Each structure stands twice: as C-alpha cells, then as structure tokens.
Amino acid sequence: MHDTLLQHLKTFFGYSSYRPGQLEVMDAALSGRDSFVLMPTGGGKSLCYQLPALVLPQVTVVVSPLMSLMKDQVDTLKTNGIAAEFINSSLSREDIQAIYQKLRQRELKLLYVAPERLLQPQFLDRMAELGVSLFAIDEAHCISQWGHDFRPDYMALALLKERFPQVPLMALTATADAATRHDIVQQLGLHQHHEYVGSFDRPNIRYMVQEKFRPLEQLVSYLKQQDGQSGVVYCNSRRKVDELASQLQERGFVSAAYHAGMDSDSRNRVQEAFQRDDVQVIVATVAFGMGINKSNIRFVVHYELSRTIEAYYQETGRAGRDGVAAEALMLFDPADIGRIHHWIDQEENEQRARVARQRFSAMASFAEAQTCRRLVLLNYFGEAQQTPCGNCDICLSPPKQFDGTELAQKALSCVYRVGQRFGMGHVIEVLRGSNSQKVQQYGHHQLSTWGLGQEYSHDFWLSILRQLVHFGFLQQDITQHAALKLQPAARPVLRGEQPLQLAVPRLHATSSKDKRRPQNYDKALFARLKRLRKKLAEQEDIAPFMVFSDATLIDICQRLPDSEQSLLQVSGVGLTKLGRYGDAFLQEISDYLATEPAPGKLMS
C-alpha cells in the first residue's frame, strides 16, 4: 500500500516525499481509525485525505465551510487528474443528479459538501446507500466553542459517528490551542483516535510589526517594494476596506475591495480576478478568509490590529502557502487596543465577551512584544520554544537586553504563591504591594512575594510577564479566566539554574530594517515562466497557481530541465501536469537559454 501511495503522490501531486506527519495520518485512515490533524496553513493537511481517497474503495466526503473554497480545491484536483466534485446551492438539480450518478458508478474519489448540506436527512440517506470510505472535516476549529471561528452548524457533525460508526472520521485544522483541540475531539466523538499536532512554525514567513504614523503612506511605500506580487490587506471594517481600496487605486495599484456587504456576484468576481493574478492587492475584512486557496500570495498586511492570535495566524498563513519567502506586516496603533476593548464590551453574551477579551489580550501582547514574534506565536499555541527565529522585526532590529533572571524569579514565584489561579493584573498588584480589596480578600498581602517589585510600574511588570508568557515559562489558561500557569520550562529559572535575558520594556516598537534574503534563481527566467503560466491558465480557464506554484517555477529556474525526465524531477511536476504543460515549459526554457548571453546566471 505504501508503494502505491508514493506512486500516486508523484503521479498526481508531483512530490517525491511526504511532509512530517502525513504518512502516519494516512495509515490511520486506511486502517479505519479516526484522527485529529493539526498542521499549519500550507503544511499539507489536504493531502492527508486526498491521497488515501485515491486508494479507498468508496468516496471520501470532505466537509468544507465555503463554496468558493470547495470550487478552488475541486478545480485544483481536476487539474491534477483526480476525479472530484462538489455539491452546493450553486449547482442545478441536473448537475447534482449527474454527480450522484458518478457516485453510483464509483467514478468519484472525493466529494466536497458544506455541513448544512451533509446533515440533510435525504443527503445522509443517499450517502448511506452509495457508501462512504472516509469523512474529512476541514476547518474543524469551527466546531469548538473555544475556536476563533465557531459555527453552530458544525456542532451537529457529531451525528456522523452515530450514523456511520464504521466510517473513519478525520478532523483537520490549522489553528487550535489546547482547549480547542480537546473540545473538537469531544464534540465529534472521536475514540481511540490517532492525533497529530504538527509545528505551528511557518519559517518562510517574516513577521513584522510597525507602529502607525502615516498608515496610508506606510502601506503605499511597502506595496511599491512588492514588485507587483499578490497580497492581501486586512481591515476591521467595511468602510475602511472601501476607502483604502479606492485610495490604492488612485495611487496606481491594481486593487479591489472585498467584504460581506458586497453582493455575492461582486465578491466572486473580485476573488476570481485575484486568483487569476488580474488583481494585485485585495483589501478585505475577515470575510476574505477560509475561501482562499491561492498558493502564490507573497504578503499579508494587517492595516489594523487583529482581534485574536488565531485569526491573525490563519490570515497571515494565506501568504507563502507554496513555501517560498513571504511577509506578514502589521501596522499597530496602541490606541486600537482601547477601541477593540470597547467593541468587545458591546457583546451581550458575557461568556462570549469574556473569551473574546482573553483572546484579544494575547493579540495585544503579540503587537507589543519585545521578544521574537515567532516565539510569541509558537508558545501561545503550546509549542514551547526559546530560540529566536532571526526572521522577524524584533530579531532583525532587537531591543536592548538585560539580565532579567531575578525579576523573572520574583514574577514566577508570585504566580506560584497565588496558587496559579489569577491573571496578570492581580499578580502585578501583589508584586507592587497593592492593598486593594481583592488582594486583602485573598490574604495575598501576607505572601512573601507581596511588594517585591514595588519600585517598578504596572506597565513594566506587564511587559515582564508578557515576555515570560512569550518564552513559554508561563501560559494563560483561557478556560480559567486567563489565569497564569507555570510551565515545565520555568523550573530551571526558578531554581537559579538558567540565567535569563529579557528585553528592556519600551513604549514604542521600532521598525525592522529591510534585510531581504538573496534568492538564488534567475529572476528574468522566472518572469517569463510566470507569463507562460498565466497564458496557459487563461487557455484552460483556471487560476495560474493551479498550473504550477511559484515554488515549482523557482525549482525549474534552479534546475533548468532540458527533457521530460529532468522536468519530472522538479518538485510539483507529476505525470499529469508533465503531459499537459511539459512541452510548453521546456520550449520556453530552451528559447530563453538560446537568447541569454549568460544562461542560468544566478540573480540576487
């Protein structure tokens, strides 16, 4: 079976090896076990069910939340030579009947549906009659009350285990902290399941935060550096989206707006133009989210502060899905913190408001961080790391450091003394020797740590505690009102066995210097191949990245294949695409090398 899977991997997807975790997840599905899969955007989640679907006897049903996402995924699969369809309200009754006929004749390998469609009694009856080999629940964080994009329709998916007890279920997500992961497993009724939690790290993405001064001019300056590459600019309101898209158009950028206030036809036209590289920049609200399957987005800008780290991580994950260098820039105005807190306070459901406040507090900490941005993200998701990444604004333009061992010991000891049951505000009050009613009520004015840090301000201690969270020494428990919990990594610091360098707290973030990594491929050839890719895509009425990704084009530029066999060695080139596009790309390379005085010269 493994040999067959590997053969299909190369033939249909163009890859010669698996990414971490993929084969174990596939083995679980093929042996009939349920599974929970957490992999970052662009980490290869879809392959975990798409490849097994090729060898399973009956159809694999994929639950997907958005019609646009279904269409993109099905179009991509068909381009790879895989029999796939979707059923949703965009299809006619005749189209749907034709798909059912394909299912009866075992001609389909994958069928994409929305949860609302899947849970219709007549649809479940039809699937029971025709047979299902595997259910894959994409964007599974939507099922959890702790998930950042909770959707009530997803909760009813627990019915699948009751209706199809023998059919394995695979839940997949790119964004879920520990509480959300546990809730997904409980809600779906997964038992004795295989669990794979991959790294949240996206090393190809450079995370940057710039303090807002003149945001429009900052954005325009940044976009001018992107050389016409595809990117997304996120705003928090429809009004700001419309205004900013218009301002960028006036400055000569091929941009378009996208938000839920537009009619569906307009949104579809904008997304289609972006997918096909006819629009460079999409200015959007979070409505432009899960439906994006475009692999060659090179940058994501947050024009305003996100409301959760989960949303920020997922939105920045739209960039660099092909593994090529990408950037995530956030323009940060500290005043946004107060504005978003005010917005959260309008929520009538107090439990939802409490969770929103806790999640936003973590996002604000990220924006104000003086430690490596990537460490903040990884440790927030429980992936304990202490080594800075070297590819974010903090690492490229680091703040001043000092020996913070003693201060860290005081803070960590205080968290321990208050029983690991209180949040940052209360711990700071104890450290600063406050005589507040709450401190008196719990007797914390009698603790040995009371007043140990009274010479420092509240904001100073807030920075110190945030840094300890960012380094993975403390964690905020969202299920217990963001109470600070000591982590195993804190023990050596508390015992004095590990010195600790912390950042000197500062009010204003500094902009990182532009340090672009040299790219060892021929830019002129890459540009020609991109033009060819777009031409072929227009002929087939598909998005250019569905022909070949940027990563594949770069690999072609580096290898300079001169035969079908050598082109087949390129990552992302399988037999299906070789037959469809191979001759055109080989001819383009040959023409280029025949006219260039220095063929294959590396550019930087």
Side-chain angles (χ1 to χ4, degrees):
M1 181 67 75
H2 282 181
D3 289 343
T4 302
L5 285 176
L6 198 58
Q7 181 181 349
H8 286 338
L9 180 68
K10 182 59 184 175
T11 299
F12 294 103
F13 297 95
Y15 302 121
S16 301
S17 60
Y18 300 106
R19 293 184 181 182
Q22 287 180 327
L23 187 57
E24 302 96 285
V25 173
M26 293 179 200
D27 281 342
L30 293 173
S31 64
R33 291 181 63 193
D34 297 334
S35 53
F36 171 82
V37 183
L38 191 153
M39 291 181 181
T41 302
K45 292 190 304 300
S46 299
L47 198 68
C48 290
Y49 58 82
Q50 289 173 348
L51 194 57
L54 299 181
V55 298
L56 288 169
Q58 297 167 320
V59 72
T60 291
V61 175
V62 184
V63 181
S64 183
L66 296 174
M67 289 195 295
S68 56
L69 181 56
M70 293 181 206
K71 183 179 185 305
D72 288 344
Q73 290 177 326
V74 168
D75 284 350
T76 300
L77 286 167
K78 287 182 174 178
T79 302
N80 288 341
I82 296 171
E85 295 289 354
F86 61 82
I87 293 180
N88 60 36
S89 58
S90 70
L91 300 183
S92 67
R93 179 178 176 83
E94 292 73 20
D95 291 334
I96 294 175
Q97 291 303 317
I99 291 172
Y100 284 141
Q101 184 62 28
K102 288 183 181 180
L103 286 171
R104 287 191 191 92
Q105 295 174 357
R106 300 286 175 89
E107 294 176 2
L108 280 188
K109 286 300 180 182
L110 291 121
L111 177 65
Y112 286 73
V113 296
E116 298 85 351
R117 169 77 60 170
L118 175 66
L119 296 170
Q120 292 176 358
Q122 61 268 37
F123 187 85
L124 289 173
D125 290 343
R126 188 70 65 96
M127 289 299 101
E129 171 198 342
L130 298 173
V132 178
S133 283
L134 173 67
F135 286 107
I137 313 296
D138 205 5
E139 309 292 354
H141 57 272
C142 294
I143 201 174
S144 171
Q145 62 173 325
W146 302 111
H148 71 284
D149 196 20
F150 171 65
R151 300 188 180 197
D153 291 321
Y154 261 69
M155 291 191 70
L157 292 173
L159 176 66
L160 290 178
K161 292 306 295 181
E162 300 174 16
R163 187 70 188 270
F164 300 88
Q166 304 305 316
V167 178
L169 192 154
M170 183 185 297
L172 307 101
T173 180
T175 317
D177 57 17
T180 304
R181 296 198 293 267
H182 178 74
D183 201 29
I184 291 170
V185 170
Q186 294 295 111
Q187 293 284 352
L188 288 175
L190 305 185
H191 299 294
Q192 297 181 334
H193 64 287
H194 173 75
E195 184 159 316
Y196 179 79
V197 178
S199 173
F200 283 87
D201 193 12
R202 295 286 304 280
N204 62 313
I205 297 180
R206 174 175 293 179
Y207 298 101
M208 301 179 294
V209 176
Q210 289 184 2
E211 187 175 359
K212 275 186 178 179
F213 296 104
R214 292 178 297 166
L216 178 59
E217 299 310 316
Q218 286 173 278
L219 178 61
V220 167
S221 174
Y222 179 77
L223 294 180
K224 286 180 178 177
Q225 300 171 27
Q226 300 310 309
D227 300 325
Q229 300 278 17
S230 294
V232 182
V233 179
Y234 281 108
C235 301
N236 287 343
S237 70
R238 300 174 186 178
R239 180 188 60 79
K240 176 59 71 175
V241 164
D242 289 333
E243 174 187 301
L244 187 57
S246 177
Q247 290 171 326
L248 292 179
Q249 289 166 5
E250 290 172 0
R251 284 161 173 76
F253 294 99
V254 185
S255 64
Y258 186 106
H259 56 71
M262 300 164 58
D263 62 77
S264 59
D265 287 343
S266 297
R267 290 199 307 271
N268 290 338
R269 281 196 299 270
V270 168
Q271 181 162 325
E272 188 82 3
F274 184 60
Q275 295 281 66
R276 299 184 180 221
D277 292 344
D278 293 330
V279 168
Q280 175 198 356
V281 181
I282 291 290
V283 184
T285 61
V286 294
F288 193 72
M290 286 186 289
I292 307 310
N293 195 37
K294 182 177 166 72
S295 68
N296 62 329
I297 296 175
R298 297 269 67 86
F299 63 90
V300 169
V301 177
H302 282 82
Y303 199 71
E304 296 164 301
L305 189 60
S306 290
R307 289 165 183 163
T308 70
I309 281 188
E310 287 87 350
Y312 171 81
Y313 177 82
Q314 190 169 56
E315 288 152 12
T316 58
R318 304 297 164 201
R321 291 171 63 101
D322 52 13
V324 178
E327 293 181 337
L329 170 66
M330 177 187 287
L331 298 178
F332 171 54
D333 179 353
D336 286 343
I337 294 177
R339 284 193 285 268
I340 294 178
H341 272 302
H342 177 73
W343 173 82
I344 293 173
D345 289 341
Q346 308 309 307
E347 169 64 56
E348 294 181 0
N349 184 318
E350 181 51 37
Q351 182 182 11
R352 300 289 296 173
R354 175 171 59 81
V355 173
R357 289 187 197 101
Q358 293 170 7
R359 292 199 182 283
F360 177 64
S361 177
M363 188 67 240
S365 294
F366 172 86
E368 296 175 325
Q370 298 190 54
T371 48
C372 168
R373 304 282 179 199
R374 200 176 311 273
L375 288 184
V376 179
L377 292 175
L378 295 179
N379 285 301
Y380 175 82
F381 288 114
E383 188 175 336
Q385 296 285 340
Q386 284 85 46
T387 305
C389 72
N391 191 32
C392 70
D393 61 312
I394 295 293
C395 289
L396 295 170
S397 182
K400 294 179 181 178
Q401 301 285 310
F402 74 104
D403 184 351
T405 308
E406 184 177 341
L407 286 176
Q409 289 172 333
K410 290 179 179 180
L412 295 171
S413 295
C414 192
V415 170
Y416 176 76
R417 297 292 178 190
V418 301
Q420 304 182 68
R421 293 168 44 234
F422 296 87
M424 287 187 182
H426 186 75
V427 171
I428 291 171
E429 286 198 339
V430 175
L431 283 167
R432 298 191 68 230
S434 168
N435 283 305
S436 70
Q437 180 180 350
K438 188 175 180 181
V439 170
Q440 296 282 335
Q441 175 187 347
Y442 287 100
H444 290 166
H445 60 296
Q446 299 175 352
L447 296 176
S448 59
T449 52
W450 183 81
L452 277 183
Q454 57 187 333
E455 69 270 33
Y456 299 108
S457 70
H458 178 278
D459 289 346
F460 180 94
W461 276 116
L462 191 61
S463 173
I464 298 301
L465 285 170
R466 283 173 172 168
Q467 290 184 62
L468 295 178
V469 170
H470 300 161
F471 275 121
F473 301 124
L474 291 172
Q475 190 171 65
Q476 293 175 284
D477 189 343
I478 193 171
T479 66
Q480 296 186 23
H481 306 278
L484 291 171
K485 305 284 189 180
L486 290 166
Q487 300 301 294
R491 291 196 187 102
V493 177
L494 276 168
R495 294 170 179 166
E497 300 167 356
Q498 176 183 331
L500 180 63
Q501 290 288 306
L502 295 176
V504 176
R506 62 187 183 186
L507 289 175
H508 303 290
T510 58
S511 298
S512 64
K513 298 176 182 177
D514 185 21
K515 299 179 180 178
R516 297 185 182 274
R517 294 175 175 174
Q519 298 182 6
N520 59 338
Y521 61 90
D522 189 325
K523 295 292 188 61
L525 176 58
F526 181 75
R528 287 184 59 154
L529 295 183
K530 280 184 68 176
R531 287 193 293 270
L532 173 61
R533 177 178 69 178
K534 193 168 192 325
K535 176 183 175 182
L536 294 172
E538 288 173 347
Q539 291 173 357
E540 297 195 4
D541 196 28
I542 59 175
F545 70 86
M546 293 180 183
V547 176
F548 287 131
S549 69
D550 281 6
T552 297
L553 296 190
I554 289 173
D555 202 18
I556 290 174
C557 292
Q558 292 170 332
R559 293 174 181 266
L560 298 176
D562 58 2
S563 66
E564 287 192 350
Q565 190 58 40
S566 58
L567 183 57
L568 202 57
Q569 301 307 307
V570 171
S571 177
V573 180
L575 289 173
T576 303
K577 289 190 175 181
L578 177 69
R580 187 171 294 177
Y581 311 120
D583 288 345
F585 276 87
L586 288 171
Q587 186 62 53
E588 189 72 20
I589 296 166
S590 176
D591 292 346
Y592 174 74
L593 295 179
T595 59
E596 285 298 302
K601 180 181 177 181
L602 296 181
M603 309 292 286
S604 62

